[in-house]
Amino acid sequence: MMHACLPRAGKTVVRRLAALLAAVLILSGCTQQRLFAVRAVAAGIPSSAPFFEEDGSLGKDRRGLAPEKAHSGLQQGNTPGLYGGTRDQKVCDIERLKDFLTDPENRQKAREWARIVGIAPDRTEGYLDDLTPVLLRHDTLVKNHDYRKGKAVSYDALLEAGIAVLVNDQGLPAVKCSCGNPLKAFDKDPEKISVEFEDGNKKWAGYERSDVVTVKPSPQPLERIALLDVDDPGTAINRPVGTTGEQDSTFDATKRHEVPAVAGMTFDRAGQALAGLGLAAAYSGDDLPPGDAAVTGATPGPGTALAFGEAVTLSVDADSGGTPVPASPTEPDKAKPPSDTSKSPPGEESGPEGGTPSPPVGGTPTVTGSTPDEEPPPPPASAPPSGPTSVEPTLSEPVASEPVSGGPAPSGGSGTGAAAQGPA
């Protein structure tokens, strides 16, 4: 009888200890912070399970390109100088990628690729025609996709500066050029990540956790993207969306321009005014404010001379969304970008707006590994936009902004009017 009772007593003690341990873990979890595992992806290092072989035939990264110090952890896709470019290197062979995705032998890959992108497989070529090749200038968070056992498998990734990507008309990374992997916007808290340097992806020179960037959609579709020439930092490149460099024009990235008077504009409109001068819009809050929130001030203030890509931090009345303070009649004229010429001589302006600083980290971090999972089927996608046009930058009247999807869909986001970034 003694021996018969001992096992039951032992089980009771184990249960009580387990309950006590669970209580301790629950209590301690109140002060701990769960971290999301993010896989580091270095420039020039092949993926373990890419959609297509990384043999240099699809695209080439620029290895050794030092990551830029980020003025904001969150940056909108139309931020001037967010991306780099070059006039001497073809970083992404879009025609070859089309061939791969339309090859009958790659039918299953093409279906999975299109599913992640959110289009029908027979629209792949048109979708690719609307993307633009660029080089990352910042270590950038994305949702990457491997191809395993006939399925696309998503995982959070940190792409090193220098990696070549195709971006859509919202300025969001959409394809990793070297392997054809589809990319989507990073959708987790960038302050709660744990970067894993594995599988040959050693921590690269210049990596700083504080300079990691998450790209948010441009508040309006882009017609041109203002890039910094990675071979000549004194020169900027204006690249029409949907072109690969054959229609590039250049301008002087060192020329300084005065910060315009933006108080009273909406956040989106102020960002557009700054972008027209090649300046970035930043925000000191935890996330981007509503696009129709009224701007109450800017730092540095109006009249301060800044060079291409430098940031202006906007202060806003976050409670004013939907009822923006009207700007004075003279302010849009002050902020209106100058006219450009056919060859865009040095001194012209361009560019996309900026983002925001990252939120603070709190608590004691504990890392939780992210298990790759399959992407859910996307909602029906609309037809991709027609080819790009080059027009003068214009400022439209502010309208209320709606939340924008982070996926690499070819359509634009919410915000103010039609975008025309940078000189033609």
Side-chain angles (χ1 to χ4, degrees), residues 257-281:
H257 300 279
E258 293 185 356
V259 176
V262 293
M265 295 183 184
T266 63
F267 181 79
D268 277 354
R269 188 177 182 187
Q272 186 177 353
L274 292 169
L277 297 174
L279 306 178

Side-chain angles (χ1 to χ4, degrees), residues 107-118:
R107 184 176 291 107
Q108 180 58 25
K109 284 185 178 180
R111 288 173 178 169
E112 284 297 288
W113 196 95
R115 181 177 68 83
I116 297 302
V117 169

Side-chain angles (χ1 to χ4, degrees), residues 258-262 265 273 277 302 328-337 395:
E258 293 185 356
V259 176
V262 293
M265 295 183 184
L277 297 174
S328 67
T330 59
E331 284 178 350
D333 293 332
K334 291 180 183 179
K336 186 176 182 179
L395 295 179

Side-chain angles (χ1 to χ4, degrees), residues 164-199:
V165 298
L166 293 171
V167 298
N168 66 11
D169 68 350
Q170 291 179 303
L172 294 173
V175 179
K176 187 174 183 290
C177 288
S178 64
C179 60
N181 284 6
L183 306 174
K184 297 184 74 173
F186 185 76
D187 57 2
K188 297 182 175 65
D189 187 342
E191 286 297 319
K192 297 179 180 179
I193 64 172
S194 175
V195 181
E196 300 175 345
F197 293 87
E198 301 174 346
D199 300 325

